[in-house]
Amino acid sequence: NGGTGTISVQCNPTVQGLRSSTLSINSDDPVTPTAMVVISCKGTVANFNLQPDKIDFSTTQQTGTCSPAQNVVISNSGTDTLRILGVSMTGTNPGSFKYTLPMGVKGVPPTGTYTIPVQFCPVDIGAQSASLTIATDLMAGHTAKVPLTGTASGPQVTVTPGNLDFGAVYIKTTSAAKQIMITNTGDQPLVFGKSTVTPAMPGGVFTVSGLPPDGTMLKKTDAPIVLTVTAAPLLAMQQTGDIAIVVNDQVKMGLLHIPLAGTGVQANI
């Protein structure tokens, strides 16, 4: 009787290159009791290469600015596509380094490359370090890391406390004074520009004395600048304000903000 039968065969090579074997099929066919079928397939594998193995941004970088980019290049010398599963910044100062991924690219074809530009954009002074961490489908849960280092310089404004809340204050009265200290913990002079206090209304809600004149320079070794602040609410409601001072600290985007708050309450008679 005629008929057909199907045998499913899979190729799962464990090494790269051409692999072959023979499938032997025994039957009661008197003419061809054993049929021989030659099977071949090609094993492919991706090959991960990473250059350079570390990057040192040797030129001292001003805080709040970014260095020219240096490239990390992933290449694939294998015969299969290398898949990029994830890229991240890890280590001690990850916020001081930035990277840009190729848009829409998730893998590296055979003989291809994948370039990641990296910049040093310090948000603090002194020595900085991090690692560009890369995961691929070859690493089985492990990652490759490119150590990054750089040194930053610049002014660094520090405010203590970072905000003031006067709590409840009787309307049409003036609160007890509170103080704010401004210091420069950086290694370059801190220069102040224009200062403004809001809300700016007749009679005011917040009064600030001790604001540095435009052009004032504060070095790390100088005594702190001390601001004295009072609240004089006009209405029985929460009041908010802000001290804004132009500074040359680019980490602060050139503008220092100190939030103010207080709540006007009606006196009981």
Side-chain angles (χ1 to χ4, degrees):
N1 294 329
T4 61
T6 301
I7 300 174
S8 296
V9 180
Q10 289 183 310
C11 179
N12 297 301
T14 58
V15 295
Q16 186 176 357
L18 184 65
R19 314 304 295 168
S20 63
S21 185
T22 301
L23 176 66
S24 299
I25 305 171
N26 298 318
S27 71
D28 59 358
D29 185 340
V31 177
T32 311
T34 301
M36 310 291 287
V37 180
V38 177
I39 301 170
S40 64
C41 65
K42 187 177 182 180
T44 62
V45 64
N47 193 9
F48 178 85
N49 300 287
L50 185 65
Q51 291 292 332
D53 58 358
K54 63 180 178 180
I55 294 178
D56 178 24
F57 294 88
S58 56
T59 301
T60 298
Q61 191 71 30
Q62 183 83 13
T63 53
T65 66
C66 289
S67 71
Q70 296 195 41
N71 290 334
V72 172
V73 180
I74 301 170
S75 60
N76 178 11
S77 58
T79 55
D80 195 7
T81 297
L82 173 69
R83 290 165 182 80
I84 307 298
L85 302 181
V87 178
S88 61
M89 196 67 72
T90 60
T92 304
N93 309 107
S96 287
F97 299 86
K98 295 182 179 180
Y99 63 90
T100 304
L101 298 180
M103 292 186 63
V105 180
K106 299 295 184 182
V108 188
T111 73
T113 59
Y114 184 97
T115 300
I116 306 174
V118 181
Q119 291 177 284
F120 180 38
C121 305
V123 297
D124 203 352
I125 63 170
Q128 312 282 300
S129 65
S131 292
L132 183 70
T133 302
I134 303 164
T136 73
D137 60 346
L138 289 184
M139 298 180 187
H142 298 286
T143 56
K145 295 186 177 183
V146 180
L148 310 172
T149 54
T151 301
S153 177
Q156 190 170 53
V157 63
T158 301
V159 180
T160 307
N163 62 80
L164 284 182
D165 188 343
F166 288 87
V169 181
Y170 290 127
I171 62 173
K172 299 180 181 180
T173 66
T174 300
S175 71
K178 292 180 178 288
Q179 291 188 327
I180 297 171
M181 291 201 310
I182 301 176
T183 56
N184 177 15
T185 56
D187 54 10
Q188 294 184 18
L190 179 67
V191 180
F192 296 89
K194 182 180 178 181
S195 301
T196 57
V197 180
T198 56
M201 62 177 64
V205 173
F206 300 100
T207 301
V208 183
S209 62
L211 288 167
D214 192 348
T216 298
M217 183 180 296
L218 183 67
K219 298 179 181 179
K220 184 175 183 178
T221 55
D222 292 339
I225 291 174
V226 179
L227 308 183
T228 301
V229 188
T230 59
L234 304 176
L235 302 172
M237 60 182 293
Q238 186 181 32
Q239 308 282 329
T240 59
D242 180 69
I243 303 171
I245 308 174
V246 175
V247 292
N248 67 329
D249 183 348
Q250 295 307 309
V251 175
K252 298 292 186 182
M253 305 300 290
L255 192 62
L256 172 64
H257 285 283
I258 307 172
L260 306 173
T263 302
V265 295
Q266 185 74 48
N268 294 324
I269 301 176

